[in-house]
Amino acid sequence: MTETTQKLPPVGGAKPRSPEFRLAADALRGLRQDLFHDAFAYRPLPRMGVDGRISRRLRGRIREYATWTPHALIAVAGLFSMLIASDNGDRGAAINLFVGVLSLAPVLLTMVRPTAAFWLSMAATPVAYVLANSQDTEWPWPAGSFACHLVVLTVVAIRTRPRTAAWMWLLTAVYGLLSESVLRGGHYFSSNTMQLLFVSALALLAVTVWQTRRAAVQEVTAQQTVTAHERSRRTLLEERTTIARELHDVVAHHMSVVAIQAEAAPYRVENPPPELERAFVTIRENAVAALTELRRVLGVVRAEDYEAPDAPQPTLADLDALLANVRDAGLSVDKALTGAVRELPQGVELSAYRIVQEALSNTLRHAPGASARVEVSYVLGGLGLRIVNGPLPQPSLVKPSPGAGHGITGMRERVSMLNGEMTAGATDDGGYEVAVFLPVPAMDEGDA
């Protein structure tokens, strides 16, 4: 069995366009869009930023004037073209001035209407040649027009995209070749079109490379910003996951105690009334339901290989063991305790212990050999912590190891979770200080 395929003619009798035709149509469309559409649009040259390596060192009025550097450079290039164009002793002063203005105007126009500046430079070139009134003048680009058009092509290429600059370069080549073949009868010996095309091609190539590099740098900077943001976000999520794992064990323990006590409470009372029994049953059912929901919601933050610790979560009572551990690691640390020591809610105790632990770890990492001090203050309404270390000793046998900043993020998360306050920063003597206040409501203190 043979299967045949029949091609249907296009709807409406239109012939399919060839790839070459579509390519030419796209090229003409790009030419019209780049050089004819809104050719006289007003596009002022913006002032230069002052955040560069050199400009940021300037001060006062000089820094303000530095923002006009691009405009000044273009104006200087225009004046240079004007001097070249008006340097002709065979003409009168008025004609020299007029030809000089013809070379200056397109360059200055690039600062406000770049596409129109290109067309003005093209139109001024034959006028300047006619007014040259000398058989020795370069053909078809007089010296002033040569310099003017080269500057215009370069500035417009910087201010537009590479495709627009390519179209301008091609139109320049078309004008030069037509001038040589039509107006000069095919004599090419005195033409300077090839020189202009070669020099302008080098300038446009340099501009294109510069623009490509600047775009690449901007893209890399944007990617680095996004990466840093994502890294910070991931760090935040990791710290929250760690806190949730710890608090899951703490809250689950208390909810289990509530459920067990509610179940055993009716047996502690002789002949309890039915209302009391129903109340304890309701308390136990709610505790079991809350515990089940807690394990379902917070249990998802555990990794697959995570195992709950066998030992209870640390509290401030374990602080001396922590200090002994860091002393064995080479850190000289003192402890100061103020206020009446009392038992605080387990979440506050755990967070306070972890904050001190992380602050001392940062001291070991960033200031090896420095001394540290831990201050724990039991005050009315909460708990105060202050961990401060001295500057890195000079010379130091152990070099500091840079971290990723996760420790400070974790401490801030714990403090924020408890509605506390935290400050962290360098001290006047070159050390570092972490100060934390964790509020504890009076009811919680009494219950504790």
Side-chain angles (χ1 to χ4, degrees), residues 13-14 66 73 76 133 143 145 174 196 289 318 337 372 393 408 414 427:
L73 292 177
V76 169
N133 192 23
S145 299
V174 169
L196 175 61
D318 304 309
L337 186 65
I408 296 296
R414 293 181 183 275
T427 59

Side-chain angles (χ1 to χ4, degrees), residues 50-70:
V50 291
D51 54 350
R53 289 180 296 179
I54 299 178
S55 57
R56 69 162 60 102
R57 300 178 181 177
L58 303 177
R59 293 292 181 270
R61 192 173 296 274
I62 298 179
R63 188 177 185 182
E64 181 181 355
Y65 289 155
T67 59
W68 297 101
T69 301

Side-chain angles (χ1 to χ4, degrees), residues 325-410:
N325 188 21
V326 296
R327 289 191 185 103
D328 292 339
L331 178 64
S332 175
V333 56
D334 297 328
K335 174 187 172 184
L337 186 65
T338 58
V341 179
R342 61 188 184 278
E343 186 179 355
L344 299 176
Q346 193 167 359
V348 176
E349 295 261 354
L350 173 62
S351 295
Y353 179 90
R354 294 301 188 197
I355 290 172
V356 174
Q357 183 184 41
E358 185 59 42
L360 294 178
S361 298
N362 286 343
T363 301
L364 284 171
R365 186 182 304 115
H366 298 286
S371 60
R373 179 179 176 84
V374 177
E375 299 177 2
V376 182
S377 304
Y378 290 87
V379 297
L380 182 63
L383 177 71
L385 298 173
R386 182 174 178 266
I387 307 95
V388 59
N389 63 267
L392 180 67
Q394 297 295 337
S396 177
L397 298 178
V398 182
K399 300 298 181 182
S401 58
H406 296 185
I408 296 296
T409 302

Side-chain angles (χ1 to χ4, degrees), residues 101-378:
V101 171
L102 287 179
S103 298
L104 174 65
V107 177
L108 298 181
L109 191 61
T110 58
M111 292 188 285
V112 289
R113 304 182 192 275
T115 306
F118 167 76
W119 289 116
L120 179 59
S121 178
M122 292 286 290
T125 298
V127 176
Y129 181 80
V130 172
L131 294 177
N133 192 23
S134 175
Q135 296 299 325
D136 297 332
T137 302
E138 295 86 350
W139 172 264
W141 306 92
S145 299
F146 190 103
C148 169
H149 202 69
L150 181 60
V151 173
V152 169
L153 284 177
T154 305
V155 175
V156 175
I158 294 175
R159 298 205 56 202
T160 58
R161 50 185 174 178
R163 190 181 73 175
T164 304
W167 279 122
M168 293 181 179
W169 188 86
L170 288 176
L171 289 180
T172 300
V174 169
Y175 167 77
L177 295 177
L178 287 178
S179 299
E180 294 172 359
S181 60
V182 176
L183 300 180
R184 294 286 289 184
H187 297 287
Y188 300 94
F189 57 89
S190 62
S191 172
N192 60 354
T193 296
M194 290 303 153
Q195 291 89 327
L196 175 61
L197 294 179
F198 178 76
V199 176
S200 61
L202 292 180
L204 297 183
L205 179 62
V207 171
T208 303
V209 171
W210 173 75
Q211 288 181 334
T212 303
R213 182 181 180 277
R214 184 180 63 173
V217 170
Q218 291 176 349
E219 184 176 357
V220 169
T221 303
Q223 290 296 331
Q224 289 177 344
T225 303
V226 173
T227 302
H229 176 72
E230 291 298 328
R231 186 185 300 112
S232 176
R233 190 163 172 257
R234 184 175 65 252
T235 300
L236 190 62
L237 292 177
E238 290 174 354
E239 293 297 333
R240 290 181 177 178
T241 299
T242 302
I243 296 172
R245 287 173 180 172
E246 296 175 345
L247 291 185
H248 175 271
D249 300 329
V250 173
V251 177
H253 167 73
H254 287 294
M255 294 301 296
S256 299
V257 172
V258 170
I260 294 173
Q261 290 183 347
E263 184 177 8
Y267 300 101
R268 298 174 180 269
V269 180
E270 185 178 357
N271 298 323
E275 295 82 1
L276 183 61
E277 291 183 353
R278 287 196 299 271
F280 281 117
V281 169
T282 301
I283 292 174
R284 181 183 181 280
E285 291 176 350
N286 288 334
V288 172
L291 184 60
T292 302
E293 188 69 15
L294 177 68
R295 286 171 176 168
R296 184 182 68 82
V297 175
L298 293 183
V300 299
V301 304
R302 298 185 184 274
E304 294 181 359
D305 57 348
Y306 175 78
E307 296 181 0
D310 297 332
Q313 296 288 357
T315 63
L316 289 176
D318 304 309
L319 197 57
D320 291 334
L322 173 64
L323 299 182
N325 188 21
V326 296
R327 289 191 185 103
D328 292 339
L331 178 64
S332 175
V333 56
D334 297 328
K335 174 187 172 184
L337 186 65
T338 58
V341 179
R342 61 188 184 278
E343 186 179 355
L344 299 176
Q346 193 167 359
V348 176
E349 295 261 354
L350 173 62
S351 295
Y353 179 90
R354 294 301 188 197
I355 290 172
V356 174
Q357 183 184 41
E358 185 59 42
L360 294 178
S361 298
N362 286 343
T363 301
L364 284 171
R365 186 182 304 115
H366 298 286
S371 60
R373 179 179 176 84
V374 177
E375 299 177 2
V376 182
S377 304
Y378 290 87

